[in-house]
Amino acid sequence: MALHLTINSNNPPFGALLAAELVKSSVSVSVEEGKETSMRVTDKVLFSDVNSIARYLARVAPALGLYGSNLLEQTEVDHWLEFSAKRLSVPAQLDSAVRELDSALSLRTFLVGNSLTLADLCAWAALKGNGAWQQQLSQNRAPGHVKRWYSFLGTQAAFKSVGSKWATTAVQQNGVSSEKKQDVGKFVELPGAEIGKVVVRFPPEASGYLHIGHAKAALLNQHYQVNFKGKLIMRFDDTNPEKEKEDFEKVILEDLSLLQIHPDQFTYTSDHFDLILKLAEKMLHEDKAYIDNTPAEQMKQEREQRIASHNRSNSVEKNLQMWEEMKKGSEYGQTCCMRAKIDMNSNNGCLRDPTMYRCKNQPHPRTGSKYKVYPTYDFACPIVDSVEGVSHALRTTEYHDRDEQFYWFIEALGIRKPHIWEYARLNLNNTLLSKRKLTWFVDQGFVEGWDDPRFPTVRGVLRRGMTVEGLKQFIAAQGGSRSVVNMEWDKIWAFNKKVIDPVAPRYTALLKDEVVPVNIPAASEECKEVAKHPKNAEVGVKPVWYGPRVLVEGGDAETFKEGETVTFINWGNIVITKIHRDASGHIVSLDGQLNLENRDYKKTTKITWLTETPRAPLVPTVCVIYDHLITKPVLGKEDNFKDYINKNSKIEERMLGDPCLKDLKRGDIIQLQRRGFYICDQPYEPISPNSCKESPCVLLFIPDGHTKEMPTAGSKEKSKAEASKKGVKVQAQSPSHPAPSTLPPAGQEDPAALLSRITAQGEAVRDLKAKKAPKEEIDAAVKQLLALKAEFKQKTGLDYKPDMAPPNPAATQTAPASSPASSCPFETVSQQGELVRKLKTEKAPKDQIDAAVKQLLALKAEFKQKTGLD
């Protein structure tokens, strides 16, 4: 007998794990991570209570005596199991419970009898996962007898094994560890998965380029293939001859190669057309399906109104006659389809006699004109999954309602049953994934092609500088989560930055039209080698030229004062001795004096620069900065995407680049100091004998996950200089939250406006820290941020959280916080949303989920009515 124990690793059930460890020599127990703790004994018997699991494990191995050797001892064991669950695990009762435990152990080695029992396992487990108890131990405040017993058990092999593997997570959960958790998610367990026996599949339709959503699906499947040493099938879903194009098959295989995904097997749904046809006819003979010639629009209405088709009661003979017409592709046959006979009164619309086959006269790319009828994806998928040996079919939660249909076909046909496992679809703000809409952008010339860096295609995001490793880390952080949320791109790019930052070589580029020469007569023209990366010597070295005439950014020059000491990065301190201006007051040149002996860089301005010398000509460079194609974060069903097109989503800046940039190759990722990360899209080419022109080095800006402004013309110090001229203190702010021109008087500002000010101030703090501004300036900004958060809580009764929706002013100001009527609509909607997710996760009855969803929609409508916001 094999038992399957699933445990929640965020709150590991140590008692059950210890019992499983001790009985594994007597019975086969597999342990796997999951969302909830449970143990499956048979298809119909499932335990979810930890004590019940421990008792069952003890009873299947009676020779070990874990449940006591007689009725009295069994009663004592039950007492300590309840004591562990209701006393030791309750923080308020911990001290008194530990004292009682200490008294019971004063003359005993074990809690019950003369050997180890479940009583010891569960009591020890309750303490092992308790942060307060661990603190008592570390501070030597634990009672003597309990400490002796706890330490003794901790030295036993089973306790060592379980404790070392699962203790870290439990201690962090109880707040003892102050270490920051690694930003990775939990991949949801695969029920019944065994090493070497997991088979997963990635089944795209060969009708377009893969996008970032496909990438998540492919990488998730690959994760389980690798970790379970299983098999990954790459299957082209070619059930619709109208959409299949062989050109796209090659494109998809190339995209998978770019993602470093290597399937073990390549198949087509059409490989199984004969079998699928045979099984469909079997269902017709068994009266589990029928042929329907109801017009499509009428059929749609009947399904919505739960009206059975007049063909539903056809005899088997009539169905077979109509089916023959479909197989011939006759004019009459083309008006028919095959439907499954399931349940027209079902609350689940996917069970109201779905279509299994349709008649199409169009030739198929692989089977030619052999067939005139083709299966739907919903009918073919469960059959092919079963036949190809797929053990776990990973599908997004949007297919949830179709899961019942999937299993119905499996049972009706009597074939092997794969396990469906759901994960959340990747929804990104300001992004379209529809092939039809993306094709429109290509056809209308808004983008360069399917690999345009603004596109969410695999080719587009990789061309923009996304690394496969960064994408994998992002997918890992999401894990197998089923929570459907709209996400900002910043999250993905932040993971990418972690990959490229440690290895990207550092170079310099200056805005071509805003450079200012600096004359340093005492400097001799020479070349030295400097590290490409300040923290990673393995990246190598680069040549840096020094000389009497160097160029700096015009925005930097505007901040200088005569006599000021400025740090030239990779050179040293230089004193600005003279500033030359033209008649209009613009700086035309600077004079400087070397002060390299002065190595005090703490309070100096740090700038980038380039030497002007014929021995190392500067490289003409174009930096391209992209923004979203769509201006609205989330498009509603009624929104026309053409109304929200960003006409200024591409900015080009002409630069003078480091001489080293001439050696960059396409795909090289670098950092331009004080500007950000870039990927080489087009390498520099010297003067061509054909065109007599040189081709500049084209660099694409790689977002790094920060919500601050994109790199723009001028230095980071430029805005500070302009503000100082006006006598105004600069406050950094997010481009999406510009500071209001006027602020309402104190006490009159509504929560939405206050929320915007908090967001803007938060961006200001982050920007100051990124610039390494003086400590007193950062402290003042943080103090202002905390004051705004305190004001927000006072007005709304809510703690500020990033990305929270603005609460309703009326609801937060007029009624006392304790009144149910005054609860924030945002919080109410959030709570109801959590309830819906919980019900779906627990696979609650359909009517219960529908009722919860209906209430959620009503709350959202109420929220919009009160606040004017979605």
Side-chain angles (χ1 to χ4, degrees), residues 45 359 386 641 656:
V45 179
C359 181
S386 180
F641 74 94
L656 292 176

Side-chain angles (χ1 to χ4, degrees), residues 515-519 549-552 557-558 560 562 576-582 585-592:
V515 293
V516 173
V518 183
N519 301 303
R549 181 179 169 86
V550 300
L551 303 176
V552 298
E558 291 287 346
F560 300 158
E562 291 186 1
I576 304 301
T577 57
K578 185 69 175 176
I579 299 176
H580 302 280
R581 299 180 183 270
D582 61 16
H586 292 108
I587 297 177
V588 292
S589 67
L590 303 168
D591 293 340

Side-chain angles (χ1 to χ4, degrees), residues 549-571:
R549 181 179 169 86
V550 300
L551 303 176
V552 298
E553 196 85 74
D556 285 332
E558 291 287 346
T559 69
F560 300 158
K561 298 176 183 176
E562 291 186 1
E564 180 182 355
T565 298
V566 177
T567 300
F568 283 47
I569 296 172
N570 287 333
W571 194 349

Side-chain angles (χ1 to χ4, degrees), residues 503-550:
V503 295
R506 271 55 171 170
Y507 296 108
T508 300
L510 307 175
L511 278 164
K512 182 178 180 181
D513 297 332
E514 294 192 21
V515 293
V516 173
V518 183
N519 301 303
I520 311 171
S524 57
E525 189 169 282
E526 60 179 331
C527 179
K528 295 180 181 179
E529 286 191 338
V530 173
K532 288 182 178 179
H533 195 294
K535 298 179 182 178
N536 186 355
E538 293 181 6
V539 177
V541 293
K542 64 181 179 181
V544 173
W545 283 86
Y546 306 85
R549 181 179 169 86
V550 300

